Amino acid sequence: MSKRQKLHIYFILVTIFLSILIGYRIYLSIYEKDYQSLNAVNIETIETKLIGQTTFSFAVVGNIDNSMRIFSDRIVPLMQDENVDFLISVGNAVFDGAEGKYRLLHRGLTKLDIPYILVPGNNEVADFGSNNFYQHFGPYFYSYHLDNAYFIFLDSTGITSWKWQLHWLNQELETAKNYPYRFVFLGHSLLPQEKVASENSSKYTVDAKTSKTLQQLFSQYEVTSVFSTGYHTNSQQSVGGVRYVVSSGGGGLLLDNEQPYQFVKVMVNPQGFSCTNITAPNRFSPIREKVETLKLYLHSLFYMSIFNILVIIGIFTLFSLLFYSKVLKQQHLYRDFNIDEEASFGTPLRIAMFTNNYLPFIGGVPLSIDRLHKGLLARGNTVLIFAPSYLQNWDDPSDGSVYRCPVLFYTKRGEFPAVNIFNREIGKVFRKFKADIIHVHHPFMLGWTALLYAKRAKLPVVMTYHTRLERYTQYLFGPGMMVKNFLIHLMIKHFANRCDAIIAPSSSTEEYLRNLGVSAIIETIPTGINIEAYGQWTAEQIEQTRAAYVRPGENLLISVSRIAEEKNLDFLVVALEKLKATSSKKFTCILIGDGPERKRLEAKVKAMGMQDTILFLGKLAPSEVVRCYLAADLFVFASTSETQGMVLLEAMAGGCPVVAIRSSGVYDVVHDGVNGFKVPESTNIWAETVKKILEDAELLSEMSGNSREFAKQYSVESITERVLALYRRVILLNASKRSES
């Protein structure tokens, strides 16, 4: 197995691992029941449950620290035995304030069959947990009352200023005087904690000044008891007539061998109240205790954060693999000059071509493929074209060099079949052919099928980028044009970078692919022209064609394209109308081609009164199109969606200079004043340029000769040799990469 294959497998495994983790988190966020303002919900439950009762009991627990196993196994059974009515946690119920810790606490507390109230402690607000507490449990300080008891909850975490709370507390204590029992709860002790060093006292106790103020208030208003949590200790003492109770040991670490897991049970009745420590029996031996404490510590430190740890490790691994893949890719930035690319020039190749449209559909891509196909066969190579079936009758070559793929459905006009790329017969035919190289002509549908076959057979892939696909997004369903264009560019880049080489029909197309971020080999190789086809018509036949459309002394203009929105034919029609209004030369323009816009354009031309000047000839056989080129004086073109504009070269081969709008595919072949003119997308400038040529017979004749000479360098024979040279180079480079891997 090669390095790249191993890297690919690792990448897939890490991606699956991360997907499972993230998917689980998404699952929790969607399907796990959300919870908000639990303190308010539970207080309402407590008030409803104990309405009219003057005898009740509740449990006060501290420092659960997300130790839900200990809490469930050792504390909850005790509460059930003691039959308490509700639970109050006085702080540090979570290990830290992360969302996951709150969810874990919530899962554990929901298993209780009694309502509960959570007081904020240090842990509740740690790691930006204050928002989580507020969202899930409610305000940081508040109060409620039963028939004979008033409950006040304070925020000792520092989130809320004491100045504001003290103002509110005076009013609450004034109201609480009407109740026999007055209880206060906060997350920090007002009295010093045993065994707590002075530098750590702020973690467990309120600062001395605030503590003194609070103690004076509690004594003044004869508060019954103040409950808080602290440094894993439990204590009860009276100061100024107020009982101060510190409750700990609800879970977490037990750093003192004398302190068991426990909670405080508060019993209230008309005769008085009592606070009793309820401890978990059967404490472990000192050695077992240390082991359990260590396990709990590791659980809190590692297991509680394992999701985040694993995600971080997964992301780091993923980026490491990506970086390493880039390093491996660096090994092939330069060509291996030890490879003799000419060594196999005499060896015939077996080439598999995949295209989503082909003959009998007449268009630039099918004609380009057909010419290359014939050129390759003429040089002794074997070609098999995988193309869709069409509704029209068509005679494919008898040598079996075209395989028609099964079709799922056809578009409205039947021009664009959707191939069933999942049909197994396609794969069987491909494997039987035993290709040396794959040539794809579209970055989708059969193009992706070809990539899959190439990967399995370890074959190199060459793609010809024929079409500016972003100019065809109006035919796609989905979001806005900008989004669709972005997705098209992304698809082209992704597909092209999975190929070994790209054939760009023009330098502007190569520039586009480079700007897009394509790193594969890119060769600018235009489509070839069958120059010999232009010699099959006699002068008499050509004159007959010309005479069918214009009288002697008049000019014949020609345009060949699919009659569709992206071909910009509305511009051409309007520009021809302006030309007719301004030029002294009479002319006729024939439009060859068909498409969805034909009927609309014909109606538009008729409404403009141009039906005798602009003639729609529909589809013609390629040989008849050549005859029309030879008969015409000038080729006019308005499309801005071409990668090459193959029809421009075909027209030049027939002696037609070209007037076209400046765009990709035009710059490479039209040289101003030599074989035509490229103009801005302005109907006025376009009409003036055509007028200038038609009214200057000497200029028209000179450019006509230049056009013929220019087109000769694009013969099918010379273009085919360039494509074969690229094939051989890619095959050798692919073999070199496989041997290095």
Side-chain angles (χ1 to χ4, degrees), residues 60-101:
V60 180
V61 66
N63 294 341
I64 297 175
D65 277 339
N66 273 129
S67 304
M68 303 317 298
R69 182 179 60 82
I70 293 174
F71 182 75
S72 299
D73 294 348
R74 315 204 70 180
I75 304 297
V76 171
L78 295 177
M79 292 182 183
Q80 293 171 341
D81 291 344
E82 295 295 330
N83 198 29
V84 297
D85 294 297
F86 58 93
L87 164 69
I88 297 177
S89 168
V90 283
N92 298 332
V94 291
F95 184 72
D96 59 50
E99 173 65 22
K101 310 301 171 52

Side-chain angles (χ1 to χ4, degrees), residues 37 41 70 106 110 148 259 261-262 430 437 467 483 548 628:
S37 305
V41 172
I70 293 174
H106 176 243
T110 50
N148 62 341
Q259 292 291 336
Y261 291 114
Q262 62 181 359
F430 171 78
I437 191 169
T467 309
V483 176
C628 290

Side-chain angles (χ1 to χ4, degrees), residues 4 325-334:
R4 287 187 177 277
S325 69
K326 295 293 184 183
V327 172
L328 281 181
K329 199 171 184 179
Q330 296 279 327
Q331 298 174 6
H332 302 290
L333 288 178
Y334 288 94

